[in-house]
Amino acid sequence: MILSHFLVISLALNAGLLYRDYCNGRHKAQDVFSFNNDCKNSSLVTKRDAHVAKSKRAFLETKTQSSSPSPKSLGDIIDLDHLETGTSLAGFGIPMVLVHVRVQGKYSLLLQFCAVLFPNGDPTMYERYWQQMGDKTTVVIPGWKFISYFSDVRSLCWFLEPEFANAVIRLHKLVGNAVTEDRYIVVGTGSTQLFQAVLYAVSPPNASEPISVVSAAPFYSSYPLITEFLKSGLYKWAGDAHKFKKDKPYIELVTSPNNPDGLSREAVVKQDQGILIHDLAYYWPQYTSISSSPADHDIMLFTVSKSTGHAGSRLGWALVKDQEIAKKMTEFIVLSTIGVSKESQLRAAKILSFVRFP
Amino acid sequence: MILSHFLVISLALNAGLLYRDYCNGRHKAQDVFSFNNDCKNSSLVTKRDAHVAKSKRAFLETKTQSSSPSPKSLGDIIDLDHLETGTSLAGFGIPMVLVHVRVQGKYSLLLQFCAVLFPNGDPTMYERYWQQMGDKTTVVIPGWKFISYFSDVRSLCWFLEPEFANAVIRLHKLVGNAVTEDRYIVVGTGSTQLFQAVLYAVSPPNASEPISVVSAAPFYSSYPLITEFLKSGLYKWAGDAHKFKKDKPYIELVTSPNNPDGLSREAVVKQDQGILIHDLAYYWPQYTSISSSPADHDIMLFTVSKSTGHAGSRLGWALVKDQEIAKKMTEFIVLSTIGVSKESQLRAAKILSFVRFP
């Protein structure tokens, strides 16, 4: 029993090291994965219960496709005697590799590699999936469209295209990963902009010192850079949430699944004066299991880069409970970029509305 | 002679006041202009030489259209005895109203009203023009496009779509309003983001105090807000350039034609330690006369909101002489939004490439 546990841990380490080697370019892409991938940097590795992952994993899969599995398809079972450190996704296109092991006759999901790498990597492996979808998600935009700054003057977030908002609500209801009722949707130029919009929105405007921003290590390497690059007097990066001991207001970033380790996360500091931002960019069934209860946090961030792989669209959205925070986030985006590309919103609306959950 | 000058000034004042009334909603749109316009705020009013304006004004006009003038078309001559404070643009669609006067038998352009109003106004009057163009500027984007973050990894600005860059160069060559040779093109989510990118790029990163940002009054009302909203330690708003007397490094914004008064501008402070940003958003022939020599400044900002009216696309570009500044601007846009919507760039490339200069 102890030996088998040791073996599982050892294999996980081997797999992780090989994957890291791959990402560092020591192996060619086809040595480990069958899809083209420009990954260069950190990985998102998730250890999950096999049953839940299996039931939720194929939300982008169509019925036609799921009826024709390839020899090496998503969730293949690999015996310990024939363990491979990666498995092909040919014919599917979801940027994830599951490795199952059989230990003492019992199958379990050992590792789930996410190949959507960030910031130096690129979700190009989604491309094949969307190519296979043909013309269904093609958008046609005439030259006279999107002249106006405004999308819906009645909306708090007046540059949010109603079609995109509806597609976001539909998708969350379908997947069951986040509550949309009694929430304001704020659209952003990617979740990177939305993260900064939240910092602006929740930071006290006239405090004697900038509010601390923390996240439990290991955290997404760009968070400190994004927080610090303008030397804002409103907020400052304060590092690892585990080490935050001040009895003062703070902002905690909870990234779940976490980038770079893929683990599910909860808030760490848990003090009264804390404001939580939940970065749920990877909280989709192709990366992790989805809880039976949809996420119900005050501020939740999502992005099409991770949900459908359209990183080039630079489009994200926030689900925000508090009206004043949503208003100030909108204000940030107006001051930062006077809204968000309507072309990207129109296209994402069509693409998101096509996502199925079998 | 003195009386006629007084009369011209008085009429200009009347026109300005009536236009302001219109913008404040005291007159219905059709009372002054024949096109729909949501203008609410500041105006861009330019006093120009009629001859030059006439020769350059119609860069968006096609040959078909220019051969069928409407009774109240661009540049109508209005006799002093029948002076109107606005004139229709029916059948043309360029968001500008020219008012001519005849004083002692000599015609001259008294006022050129620009109806592209910002930030509360909206260039919706461009819509009709693009509708008349039919399908020529329609773009079709399949679902598998723009998965990648990258547009051209060899380019300094790696998220700049080559098609858009080529369209920008072609347009500047066609219009002759700016030098593109030996310049880096940096694309931004509107010129608002590019303005902030320049501030980040040219501010000393480790100075003992933030660098001063100035502009000659009257200046675009959003400049101070955009400069101040994050309380950056890198730069600070320092108001009217005319009043800037410090013998210290500074950044001067030169907006030409200026918003809100439409006048041509040059740098005011003229000290050795100054860095100039030329905001040339309105430096297009539908707003002003174009000099015989293209603008040749170190940092020049443009936007499709003003050049073609596609404000909803949130797309601008900078022409930058210095490589290090262009690199740091790119870095800002990566940290701010990880690039710029590729859908917007693709569409703008097509629209810009359709612009003709008869």
Side-chain angles (χ1 to χ4, degrees):
Chain A
M1 185 66 180
I2 293 169
L3 187 67
S4 70
H5 281 180
F6 177 76
L7 191 60
V8 167
I9 292 164
S10 171
L11 287 168
L13 185 61
N14 286 337
L17 289 171
L18 280 166
Y19 184 65
R20 198 185 60 183
D21 281 0
Y22 162 71
C23 288
N24 287 336
R26 287 178 227 170
H27 289 259
K28 287 180 186 169
Q30 58 268 35
D31 291 348
V32 182
F33 307 125
S34 69
F35 47 79
N36 288 324
N37 180 14
D38 294 326
C39 72
K40 292 168 191 164
N41 208 315
S42 60
S43 66
L44 185 76
V45 182
T46 313
K47 191 174 178 182
R48 292 287 157 210
D49 176 84
H51 172 70
V52 182
K54 202 169 181 180
S55 68
K56 293 274 191 175
R57 74 195 176 208
F59 92 114
L60 281 169
E61 190 179 31
T62 62
K63 286 182 180 177
T64 315
Q65 287 195 312
S66 61
S67 64
S68 59
S70 63
K72 281 193 166 189
S73 65
L74 186 74
D76 265 356
I77 302 300
I78 299 163
D79 194 278
L80 256 188
D81 297 333
H82 303 94
L83 184 75
E84 294 176 24
T85 54
T87 183
S88 166
L89 298 184
F92 194 86
I94 295 298
M96 171 173 55
V97 177
L98 304 182
V99 179
H100 290 94
V101 292
R102 190 175 66 185
V103 180
Q104 295 186 331
K106 189 181 173 189
Y107 289 102
S108 70
L109 178 63
L110 175 62
L111 286 170
Q112 176 177 313
F113 296 89
C114 170
V116 177
L117 302 165
F118 184 79
N120 291 330
D122 213 13
T124 49
M125 62 292 295
Y126 274 101
E127 196 168 284
R128 188 164 51 189
Y129 175 81
W130 293 112
Q131 278 174 340
Q132 288 167 348
M133 294 300 104
D135 296 338
K136 295 167 192 169
T137 54
T138 296
V139 292
V140 178
I141 315 177
W144 53 266
K145 281 271 279 187
F146 304 138
I147 297 289
S148 176
Y149 288 99
F150 299 94
S151 296
D152 182 1
V153 290
R154 297 161 304 178
S155 173
L156 180 146
C157 183
W158 51 262
F159 47 80
L160 168 63
E161 286 288 300
E163 269 181 282
F164 178 63
N166 292 338
V168 161
I169 292 168
R170 174 197 163 274
L171 186 64
H172 283 304
K173 285 187 188 298
L174 190 73
V175 176
N177 63 340
V179 167
T180 54
E181 286 80 13
D182 300 321
R183 294 295 196 286
Y184 297 93
I185 299 176
V186 181
V187 65
T189 310
S191 59
T192 298
Q193 187 182 41
L194 288 163
F195 164 51
Q196 293 163 81
V198 179
L199 293 185
Y200 172 76
V202 303
S203 297
N206 300 311
S208 58
E209 59 176 324
I211 190 170
S212 295
V213 182
V214 297
S215 189
F219 43 73
Y220 169 39
S221 59
S222 288
Y223 281 149
L225 301 173
I226 296 168
T227 309
E228 289 289 289
F229 79 119
L230 290 176
K231 299 190 175 183
S232 174
L234 297 174
Y235 46 77
K236 65 177 180 192
W237 183 252
D240 187 359
H242 291 292
K243 295 176 182 168
F244 184 77
K245 304 296 178 198
K246 287 181 187 170
D247 187 22
K248 285 187 172 179
Y250 66 95
I251 299 167
E252 182 176 351
L253 262 163
V254 183
T255 310
S256 185
N258 189 43
N259 184 353
D261 62 14
L263 296 177
S264 287
R265 284 280 186 88
E266 289 188 357
V268 164
V269 184
K270 292 180 181 171
Q271 288 181 16
D272 292 342
Q273 300 180 68
I275 297 159
L276 301 181
I277 306 174
H278 279 81
D279 182 346
L280 305 184
Y282 289 100
Y283 193 48
W284 297 99
Q286 65 267 43
Y287 305 115
T288 187
S289 58
I290 303 298
S291 169
S292 54
S293 303
D296 189 22
H297 309 293
D298 288 355
I299 303 166
M300 298 183 279
L301 308 184
F302 295 91
T303 167
V304 298
S305 306
K306 305 298 176 280
S307 52
T308 68
H310 290 84
S313 300
R314 311 311 312 124
L315 195 68
W317 67 96
L319 302 176
V320 182
K321 200 179 272 182
D322 183 84
Q323 189 185 54
E324 288 310 309
I325 292 175
K327 268 187 193 170
K328 279 208 77 174
M329 287 177 69
T330 301
E331 182 181 297
F332 174 93
I333 292 168
V334 170
L335 288 166
S336 170
T337 55
I338 323 182
V340 177
S341 162
K342 300 199 194 311
E343 290 88 342
S344 291
Q345 291 186 63
L346 178 80
R347 188 160 172 256
K350 187 151 193 180
I351 289 166
L352 290 183
S353 68
F354 188 70
V355 170
R356 299 288 178 271
F357 194 93
Chain B
M1 185 70 180
I2 292 170
L3 187 66
S4 70
H5 281 179
F6 178 78
L7 192 59
V8 167
I9 293 164
S10 171
L11 286 166
L13 185 63
N14 287 339
L17 290 170
L18 280 165
Y19 184 64
R20 197 183 62 183
D21 282 359
Y22 162 70
C23 289
N24 288 335
R26 287 179 226 171
H27 288 259
K28 287 180 187 172
Q30 57 268 33
D31 291 348
V32 182
F33 307 125
S34 69
F35 48 80
N36 289 324
N37 180 14
D38 294 325
C39 75
K40 292 167 189 166
N41 207 315
S42 60
S43 65
L44 185 76
V45 182
T46 312
K47 191 174 179 179
R48 292 287 156 212
D49 176 83
H51 173 70
V52 182
K54 202 168 178 180
S55 68
K56 292 274 191 175
R57 73 195 178 211
F59 92 113
L60 281 167
E61 190 179 33
T62 63
K63 286 182 179 175
T64 315
Q65 286 195 313
S66 62
S67 63
S68 58
S70 63
K72 281 194 166 189
S73 64
L74 185 74
D76 265 353
I77 302 299
I78 300 162
D79 194 278
L80 255 188
D81 296 333
H82 302 93
L83 184 76
E84 296 177 23
T85 54
T87 183
S88 166
L89 298 183
F92 193 86
I94 295 298
M96 171 173 58
V97 177
L98 304 181
V99 179
H100 289 95
V101 291
R102 191 176 65 186
V103 180
Q104 296 187 330
K106 190 181 173 190
Y107 290 102
S108 69
L109 178 63
L110 175 61
L111 286 171
Q112 174 177 312
F113 295 91
C114 171
V116 176
L117 301 167
F118 185 77
N120 292 328
D122 213 13
T124 50
M125 61 292 296
Y126 273 102
E127 197 168 283
R128 189 165 49 190
Y129 175 81
W130 293 111
Q131 278 174 341
Q132 288 166 349
M133 294 301 103
D135 296 338
K136 295 167 193 168
T137 53
T138 297
V139 292
V140 178
I141 315 177
W144 54 266
K145 281 271 279 187
F146 304 138
I147 297 289
S148 176
Y149 288 100
F150 300 93
S151 295
D152 181 0
V153 290
R154 297 161 304 178
S155 173
L156 180 146
C157 184
W158 51 262
F159 46 81
L160 167 64
E161 287 288 301
E163 270 180 282
F164 178 63
N166 292 338
V168 161
I169 291 168
R170 175 197 162 274
L171 186 63
H172 283 304
K173 284 186 187 299
L174 190 75
V175 176
N177 62 341
V179 167
T180 55
E181 288 79 13
D182 301 321
R183 293 296 196 284
Y184 296 93
I185 299 176
V186 180
V187 64
T189 310
S191 58
T192 298
Q193 186 181 40
L194 288 163
F195 165 50
Q196 293 163 83
V198 179
L199 293 186
Y200 173 76
V202 303
S203 297
N206 300 309
S208 57
E209 59 175 324
I211 190 170
S212 295
V213 182
V214 298
S215 189
F219 44 72
Y220 169 38
S221 58
S222 288
Y223 280 149
L225 301 173
I226 296 168
T227 309
E228 290 288 286
F229 79 118
L230 291 176
K231 298 190 174 183
S232 174
L234 297 175
Y235 45 78
K236 65 177 180 193
W237 183 253
D240 186 359
H242 291 290
K243 295 176 182 168
F244 184 77
K245 304 295 177 200
K246 288 181 187 171
D247 187 22
K248 286 188 171 180
Y250 66 95
I251 299 167
E252 182 176 352
L253 263 163
V254 183
T255 310
S256 185
N258 190 44
N259 184 352
D261 62 15
L263 296 177
S264 287
R265 283 281 185 88
E266 290 187 0
V268 164
V269 184
K270 294 181 181 171
Q271 288 181 16
D272 292 342
Q273 301 181 69
I275 297 159
L276 301 181
I277 306 173
H278 279 81
D279 182 345
L280 305 185
Y282 289 100
Y283 192 49
W284 297 100
Q286 67 267 44
Y287 305 115
T288 187
S289 59
I290 303 298
S291 168
S292 55
S293 302
D296 189 22
H297 310 292
D298 288 354
I299 304 166
M300 299 182 278
L301 307 184
F302 295 92
T303 168
V304 298
S305 305
K306 306 297 176 281
S307 52
T308 68
H310 290 83
S313 300
R314 309 311 314 122
L315 195 68
W317 68 94
L319 303 177
V320 183
K321 200 179 270 181
D322 184 84
Q323 189 185 53
E324 289 309 309
I325 292 174
K327 269 188 191 170
K328 279 208 78 174
M329 287 178 69
T330 301
E331 181 180 300
F332 174 93
I333 292 167
V334 170
L335 289 165
S336 170
T337 55
I338 322 182
V340 176
S341 164
K342 300 200 194 312
E343 289 88 342
S344 291
Q345 291 186 63
L346 178 80
R347 189 160 171 256
K350 187 153 193 179
I351 289 166
L352 289 184
S353 68
F354 189 70
V355 170
R356 299 288 178 270
F357 195 92

